Amino acid sequence: MSMKINQLEIENVKRIKAVKIEPSANGLTIIGGRNNQGKTSVLDSIAWALGGDKYRPSQPQREQSVIPPNLRIVMSNGLVVERRGKNSALKVTDPNGEKGGQQLLNDFVEQFALNLPKFMESGSKEKAQILLKIIGVGDKLAELEREEQEKYNERLTIGRIADQKEKYAKEQPYHTDAPAEIVSASELIKKQQDILAQNGEDQRKRERLYLLEQEDQRLMEQIQELLKKQEAVRADLAFARMDAKDLKDQSTAALEQSISDIEEINRKVRANLDKEKAEDDAREYRRQYDQLTKQLEDTRQKKSDLLKTAKLPLPELSVKDGELVYKGQQWDNMSGSDRLKVSAAIVRKLNPECGFVLLDKLEQMDLEILKEFGEWLEEEGLQAIATRVSTGEECSIIIEDGYVAGEEHPLMEDKKTEWKKGVF
């Protein structure tokens, strides 16, 4: 069961002369009054009494008073907390009369509860880290966020490379009249040489025919003497004529032109290959980009699932991009009432045994927000003790000149020290 403040008595602390308050167990108790009347001194006294010497005011004793501060707080479980005397020594007594100290108070008093505005004024990411820590998912979420950032950075790099590759591919010319592969000049030259060799062979055949015809002419003149030789020559001539029949030289013009144009052709082929390579690279980087996008979405889904399954202090409260989000709004877009709700809920979650919070300077909240916040506190079973520069009906009590207005109180006179001879 969470601890709350049932009763508090304060004397001679800062601006307080003598104040006794019994806050509402649940909901909002507003301490009102004009400026410099002692409202904040009430909260400072509670923080000092319960929080220890780190909350001790620099000048705790009321000015113009020789009586030391006197603080007494009764908690809802019967625990009595007192600070009395010149040194304001702490005395903690449980319902059985057993004595305790600051450590006993630290077990149930949440530090932010003593100063809720301190939590509200912290950075948005710091608030989120506090929330993640208390719901036990801070380390896991930090790991997922690191993984998300790494995937995002990797995808960003891959995306930029893909964009560059696509841009480069688009800028490259493409020649539809170029062959698919680089043309080999040596192959064309070999073909040309083969044709030239064949043409040379054909030329030799023609020359042989000519010589035989000349020989035939000469032998005709000597036909009588060389009849046998003539017959042999004629046989050879018939064979030669048959061998040379229908011979036609092949043209090397196309090959010569191809050899002449080979550098231009190969330039076009290389350009086409470069474009195809750039397009392939762009497609591969785009595939990697899409893959990383899927991994990034999976990581973000894990974050979302992690927060959905966590026991959060409020419905619709979450963490997005490292910042608190409530009802879809980040801290700077939350209403004043929602900010108070979120802060109080998180502080309670920090230490469930602490059932109260202290709030200073609620004059910045309008009456509607105060009413809404007070109703929420009652529903949640939380106690809030707050100050407000006001003397309106929304105030639970009014502090005037260090007293509770409207209540009778004895005139407090500073005790003067009486010296007696021989007595120290």
Side-chain angles (χ1 to χ4, degrees), residues 172-239:
Q172 298 306 302
Y174 192 81
H175 307 282
T176 56
D177 58 339
E181 298 179 354
I182 293 292
V183 178
S184 172
S186 61
E187 290 181 5
L188 292 177
I189 292 172
K190 185 177 181 303
K191 288 181 180 180
Q192 181 190 36
Q193 290 174 344
D194 291 343
I195 291 174
L196 290 174
Q198 185 62 46
N199 290 345
E201 182 64 23
D202 293 345
Q203 182 61 29
R204 285 192 295 274
K205 291 178 180 180
R206 293 188 190 95
E207 291 175 352
R208 184 166 179 263
L209 175 61
Y210 176 76
L211 291 173
L212 289 173
E213 287 176 343
Q214 292 296 317
E215 183 68 12
D216 179 67
Q217 181 64 32
R218 186 176 63 81
L219 291 174
M220 283 294 291
E221 297 174 354
Q222 300 174 1
I223 191 168
Q224 295 301 324
E225 296 89 7
L226 302 172
L227 183 57
K228 291 182 180 182
K229 187 177 181 179
Q230 183 185 34
E231 290 177 358
V233 170
R234 283 182 176 178
D236 290 340
L237 177 61
F239 179 78

Side-chain angles (χ1 to χ4, degrees), residues 130-175:
I130 292 172
L131 173 60
L132 295 174
K133 182 178 180 180
I134 61 178
I135 64 177
V137 300
D139 293 341
K140 180 62 177 176
L141 190 66
E143 180 182 345
L144 288 173
E145 286 181 341
R146 178 189 58 75
E147 180 182 338
E148 177 187 8
Q149 188 62 45
E150 289 178 354
K151 294 298 182 186
Y152 176 82
N153 292 339
E154 185 179 357
R155 188 187 70 162
L156 181 63
T157 301
I158 291 295
R160 287 174 177 170
I161 295 174
D163 291 340
Q164 293 170 357
K165 293 291 184 181
E166 289 171 353
K167 182 175 181 295
Y168 175 76
K170 289 177 181 179
E171 291 174 349
Q172 298 306 302
Y174 192 81
H175 307 282

Side-chain angles (χ1 to χ4, degrees), residues 168-353:
Y168 175 76
K170 289 177 181 179
E171 291 174 349
Q172 298 306 302
Y174 192 81
H175 307 282
T176 56
D177 58 339
E181 298 179 354
I182 293 292
V183 178
S184 172
S186 61
E187 290 181 5
L188 292 177
I189 292 172
K190 185 177 181 303
K191 288 181 180 180
Q192 181 190 36
Q193 290 174 344
D194 291 343
I195 291 174
L196 290 174
Q198 185 62 46
N199 290 345
E201 182 64 23
D202 293 345
Q203 182 61 29
R204 285 192 295 274
K205 291 178 180 180
R206 293 188 190 95
E207 291 175 352
R208 184 166 179 263
L209 175 61
Y210 176 76
L211 291 173
L212 289 173
E213 287 176 343
Q214 292 296 317
E215 183 68 12
D216 179 67
Q217 181 64 32
R218 186 176 63 81
L219 291 174
M220 283 294 291
E221 297 174 354
Q222 300 174 1
I223 191 168
Q224 295 301 324
E225 296 89 7
L226 302 172
L227 183 57
K228 291 182 180 182
K229 187 177 181 179
Q230 183 185 34
E231 290 177 358
V233 170
R234 283 182 176 178
D236 290 340
L237 177 61
F239 179 78
R241 283 175 177 169
M242 184 180 295
D243 198 25
K245 186 180 179 181
D246 298 327
L247 289 178
K248 183 179 180 181
D249 288 346
Q250 297 183 41
S251 174
T252 64
L255 288 171
E256 290 173 354
Q257 184 61 42
S258 294
I259 293 172
S260 175
D261 295 340
I262 190 170
E263 287 304 321
E264 177 61 19
I265 292 172
N266 286 342
R267 184 191 65 78
K268 292 180 179 180
V269 172
R270 291 190 186 95
N272 289 351
L273 292 174
D274 287 345
K275 183 176 182 68
E276 291 170 359
K277 177 64 167 54
E279 290 173 345
D280 289 342
D281 288 347
R283 281 191 292 270
E284 172 59 20
Y285 280 108
R286 189 56 61 193
R287 183 194 66 78
Q288 293 180 32
Y289 181 88
D290 294 339
Q291 184 180 21
L292 287 169
T293 297
K294 177 63 169 59
Q295 294 174 0
L296 191 60
E297 290 171 352
D298 290 344
T299 301
R300 288 172 175 169
Q301 186 61 46
K302 288 178 184 177
K303 286 175 56 182
S304 177
D305 293 343
L306 182 65
L307 291 173
K308 285 179 181 178
T309 57
K311 294 182 179 180
L312 293 163
L314 283 174
E316 300 185 80
L317 178 63
S318 185
V319 175
K320 184 177 181 182
D321 297 330
E323 296 192 11
L324 286 181
V325 176
Y326 182 56
K327 295 181 179 179
Q329 300 295 325
Q330 292 183 345
W331 182 265
D332 57 347
N333 287 327
M334 293 182 196
S335 66
S337 176
D338 284 347
R339 289 184 182 182
L340 288 171
K341 289 179 185 177
V342 169
S343 301
I346 291 176
V347 168
R348 178 178 59 175
K349 187 74 173 179
L350 277 169
N351 189 344
E353 292 189 15

Side-chain angles (χ1 to χ4, degrees), residues 3-5 46 50 75 109 113-114 354-358 382-383:
M3 301 273 284
K4 300 175 184 178
I5 298 173
I46 298 173
L50 299 180
M75 305 303 297
V109 175
L114 300 177
C354 185
F356 67 91
V357 293
L358 306 183
L382 269 172
Q383 179 188 65

